[in-house]
Amino acid sequence: MVDAALERPAAAGAVRKPSALRRRLQRKSTIAFLMTLPLILLIAALVIYPALYSLHLATLNKSMERFVGLSNFAFLFKRQTFWMVVKQSCIFAITAVIFKALIGFVVAHFVHNIPTKGQRKWRGMLLVPWVIPPAMSTLAWLWLFDPSYSAFNWLLAKFGVEAIPWTAEAGWARFSVILVNVWIGSPFFMIMYLAALKSVPEQLYEAAAIDGANWWQRIWYVTLPMMRNIIAITALFSLIVTFANFDIVRILTAGGPIDQTHVFATWAFWIGIQGGDIPLGAAVSLFMVPILSIAAIFILRDINRRGNEA
Amino acid sequence: MTAASAAHTVPATPRKYGSMSRDRRWALCLSYFFLVVFAIFFLTPPVYMFITSIKTSQEISAAVNPWWVYNPSLANYVELLSSPVFLTFFRNSAIVSVSVVVITMLISVPAAFALSRMKFWGSATLATGVFLTYLIPETLLFIPLFKMFATFRDWTGIELINRWWALLLLYPTLTVPFCTWIMIGYFASIPKELDEAALMDGANYRQILTRIFIPVALPGLIAATIFAFTVSWAQFLYPLAFTTSADQLVLPVGIVTTLIKGDVFNWGQIMTGALLGAAPPLIIYAFLMDYYIAGLTAGATKG
């Protein structure tokens, strides 16, 4: 009805005998399609096509002349480094996400506890790690972890603790990359949880207090159930981003010592771009797909459900 | 926190209010204490960046307290800001980021408008697809894209690898899906009556978009712009894989690859460069914090 109202003056003002093409171009769905066309082209050419192309690439030999089937994958399965990368990627992503969620939750509570007046200031300050480009802040961490001039080790020495080989020893290097990731990511959780905390109705807490709930029970029976959705979706988002992380590992350890801290992204870069074996690199990065798609399915399900509720 | 139990043990005395407020104050002090602890944890690296950036190389390598500056100097800043290489990085980064913001907005705003208001065949699927695209990380795409660019050169003779402007093709894949997604959310929240009234008055779709939707959804537009800018400014993997020569590098990669020469780390300059590289997003954040946070939370809550 509204469309008809729109088209009448437009048609009257237009050329006397509107051609079929022109009429078609004026139709609402055609206009809409043309408006989304750049988006569709971009996604098709630079996201969907490369994603499918990497499936094809992974089945070629190193010089990309011959189809070798699944032998790239078979080769990877036989390599010890590959399994180390799988293990490290999972440890890295899962540990980092758990700690980000915990720290984000705790900090969000503390910010929520203080008077509203001061919250803005604190929130602004605590989000700084998220704002700085990760490559830049990881450089600062690299300098803090420097083998000979580490400012942390200087502090530790004041307390009589031995110097820690932050990036030189496998266990500590793994700890360091996770620490930096947690440092960068937990402010994001904090912001999300803070927004969720604000949306929990105050009456629920009052009712719980009247029923004699202590602070732990209030968190367990009121806050957590009310925030369940946002906790899940933030964690899944973060799992995807963390699992596919590149910047931190690349700058902090470059995968070392002896490939012990490589994750899929950095190892794929190492093999595919620096090592020049594009098919093998593509094969490595494809191993990210299963865990990413599981997380994506859960996120989508959640979003669709909320879409239906709205 | 134990207001109820406090009331229980000391019933009906004025003492009760005293203990409650003491409880509150105690909880408040605890909150502030932990906030200070976390603030120290979160702010140590940037502060240490700044401390190092105003030191001289002699002081950095001296065996003195690294957390204190004895002879502050701006030499690192002067040196970097007068170095043509560094200024090239800065210029490349600025051009790339600003152009990507413009490209992103030109693509995602009309698309979001069409997807949120003009239902057509497959529009719902496309909206979900846009969101899915946002979940595909760049670490999955850089190898096939690298090969695609090489093939493209072989076919057409146009070199895309090691050209900073080729990043203008790559960055929108990171920014457009998210910006479209949050703009769909913002546009969908505009009451239908508004555009129906405009249609009645004889406005066409272009006028509805530019006269009504863009002004009304301006906060969302600003949030999306900030997002696109910070993502392009911070992107590290694509420029690292696709550009190599010094005049084509953007800031993050330039600092990491050129200031670290072999095993010689000139930390004063690296930290200065890192701080200057972090400055534009930080300045935007300082002035537009609310929009920044709105964009951040919209991504997951608007959906």
Side-chain angles (χ1 to χ4, degrees):
Chain A
M1 192 169 82
V2 187
D3 292 347
L6 167 84
E7 267 158 35
R8 211 175 307 124
V15 218
R16 199 131 304 181
K17 49 174 186 16
S19 67
L21 178 70
R22 178 175 285 268
R23 229 179 312 131
R24 174 161 284 206
L25 278 176
Q26 300 238 327
R27 267 176 42 197
K28 185 173 142 188
S29 58
T30 317
I31 299 174
F33 179 73
L34 288 176
M35 282 169 106
T36 47
L37 194 61
L39 174 80
I40 296 171
L41 288 178
L42 178 86
I43 289 178
L46 293 171
V47 179
I48 312 257
Y49 179 72
L52 297 176
Y53 187 46
S54 75
L55 279 176
H56 170 67
L57 274 179
T59 60
L60 301 177
N61 70 342
K62 187 176 176 181
S63 54
M64 288 175 281
E65 285 155 345
R66 199 159 46 79
F67 177 80
V68 292
L70 297 177
S71 64
N72 276 328
F73 295 94
F75 174 73
L76 282 176
F77 284 139
K78 275 186 293 199
R79 278 183 74 173
Q80 211 194 336
T81 316
F82 172 75
W83 293 110
M84 209 161 67
V85 169
V86 174
K87 206 176 94 195
Q88 169 63 10
S89 293
C90 294
I91 294 175
F92 173 74
I94 293 167
T95 324
V97 170
I98 290 173
F99 276 99
K100 281 190 266 194
L102 278 177
I103 292 178
F105 191 75
V106 170
V107 177
H109 262 277
F110 287 135
V111 176
H112 192 62
N113 264 350
I114 65 172
T116 325
K117 228 174 21 197
Q119 285 186 9
R120 217 180 110 84
K121 203 175 60 196
W122 282 100
R123 194 183 58 171
M125 212 150 65
L126 295 170
L127 195 63
V128 166
W130 180 262
V131 180
I132 301 175
M136 303 292 91
S137 48
T138 312
L139 279 175
W141 281 100
L142 184 63
W143 171 221
L144 282 163
F145 289 152
D146 188 87
S148 30
Y149 298 104
S150 169
F152 286 151
N153 284 347
W154 185 86
L155 277 182
L156 290 175
K158 288 280 156 202
F159 293 104
V161 183
E162 249 180 81
I164 291 174
W166 294 103
T167 55
E169 196 261 318
W172 279 109
R174 287 181 180 151
F175 169 80
S176 301
V177 289
I178 292 171
L179 175 70
V180 176
N181 193 293
V182 169
W183 179 82
I184 289 175
S186 39
F188 173 68
F189 279 80
M190 188 264 297
I191 286 294
M192 300 299 290
Y193 290 170
L194 195 58
L197 275 177
K198 298 241 175 280
S199 67
V200 179
E202 197 59 37
Q203 290 95 315
L204 291 181
Y205 290 113
E206 281 162 16
I210 288 167
D211 288 346
N214 59 26
W215 67 274
W216 169 247
Q217 286 170 320
R218 267 185 273 170
I219 287 182
W220 190 254
Y221 293 109
V222 181
T223 313
L224 279 178
M226 291 299 285
M227 287 174 59
R228 206 179 49 205
N229 251 342
I230 206 81
I231 288 176
I233 206 161
T234 313
L236 288 168
F237 259 118
S238 178
L239 189 67
I240 291 183
V241 176
T242 314
F243 199 70
N245 186 284
F246 176 79
D247 306 12
I248 295 170
V249 178
R250 167 77 201 171
I251 294 175
L252 207 59
T253 64
I258 19 173
D259 297 340
Q260 303 265 1
T261 56
H262 262 313
V263 290
F264 281 122
T266 53
W267 204 47
F269 185 87
W270 176 251
I271 291 176
I273 305 291
Q274 286 180 307
D277 193 343
I278 287 180
L280 197 63
V284 169
S285 62
L286 278 175
F287 278 97
M288 282 191 281
V289 172
I291 193 157
L292 295 181
S293 41
I294 292 171
I297 288 168
F298 277 106
I299 292 178
L300 267 189
R301 208 185 56 176
D302 185 85
I303 278 175
N304 284 336
R305 197 172 53 218
R306 264 193 288 170
N308 294 340
E309 279 166 11
Chain B
M1 57 184 63
T2 49
S5 64
H8 205 71
T9 47
V10 200
T13 52
R15 200 38 79 76
K16 160 179 128 184
Y17 301 108
S19 93
M20 196 169 134
S21 78
R22 209 184 317 139
D23 258 359
R24 282 259 171 83
R25 207 160 15 177
W26 191 76
L28 201 62
C29 284
L30 198 74
S31 296
Y32 277 121
F33 171 75
F34 278 107
L35 279 179
V36 169
V37 170
F38 279 112
I40 291 173
F41 171 59
F42 284 145
L43 294 179
T44 297
V47 167
Y48 194 60
M49 256 188 211
F50 177 70
I51 290 177
T52 312
S53 75
I54 55 173
K55 281 184 188 176
T56 57
S57 327
Q58 291 83 5
E59 194 178 333
I60 288 172
S61 49
V64 290
N65 182 353
W67 298 94
W68 190 254
V69 187
Y70 295 94
N71 302 302
S73 102
L74 290 175
N76 287 321
Y77 288 89
V78 173
E79 201 169 326
L80 270 192
L81 289 175
S82 60
S83 126
V85 181
F86 185 79
L87 290 177
T88 313
F89 299 158
F90 218 99
R91 197 204 57 196
N92 287 349
S93 255
I95 297 176
V96 169
S97 303
V98 171
S99 319
V100 168
V101 167
V102 173
I103 295 172
T104 306
M105 288 304 137
L106 287 180
I107 296 179
S108 64
V109 169
F113 176 70
L115 288 176
S116 65
R117 272 302 197 268
M118 309 155 80
K119 297 276 175 283
F120 59 96
W121 187 82
S123 60
T125 319
L126 188 59
T128 314
V130 167
F131 184 70
L132 260 185
T133 323
Y134 167 55
L135 297 180
I136 299 178
E138 75 269 28
T139 35
L140 201 61
L141 299 177
F142 73 101
I143 289 178
L145 280 169
F146 190 84
K147 176 71 185 128
M148 273 167 67
F149 279 19
T151 314
F152 185 79
R153 173 198 49 207
D154 295 342
W155 282 355
T156 61
I158 301 171
E159 179 67 273
L160 290 173
I161 290 169
N162 199 14
R163 298 284 180 276
W164 63 264
W165 46 263
L167 298 176
L168 298 181
L169 288 174
L170 295 168
Y171 286 11
T173 59
L174 305 167
T175 57
V176 166
F178 183 75
C179 289
T180 311
W181 178 251
I182 62 171
M183 287 320 292
I184 291 176
Y186 276 101
F187 283 164
S189 68
I190 295 175
K192 274 225 162 53
E193 289 76 18
L194 216 54
D195 40 314
E196 278 168 6
L199 278 172
M200 292 296 228
D201 290 344
N204 59 27
Y205 283 115
R206 194 171 52 79
Q207 286 169 322
I208 293 176
L209 177 60
T210 54
R211 300 264 175 87
I212 297 176
F213 273 65
I214 290 178
V216 172
L218 197 62
L221 209 68
I222 296 173
T225 309
I226 294 174
F227 171 85
F229 181 83
T230 45
V231 163
S232 336
W233 188 273
Q235 177 51 226
F236 182 69
L237 171 61
Y238 280 152
L240 186 67
F242 286 82
T243 54
T244 44
S245 47
D247 60 327
Q248 304 293 333
L249 294 180
V250 294
L251 200 56
V253 179
I255 291 167
V256 171
T257 56
T258 62
L259 290 184
I260 300 176
K261 296 180 191 95
D263 284 339
V264 185
F265 286 63
N266 187 350
W267 279 110
Q269 277 197 19
I270 294 174
M271 287 299 103
T272 311
L275 206 59
L276 290 172
L282 279 174
I283 291 168
I284 290 176
Y285 170 67
F287 284 101
L288 300 167
M289 187 169 88
D290 293 321
Y291 294 111
Y292 190 99
I293 290 173
L296 207 60
T297 45
T301 54
K302 268 258 151 53

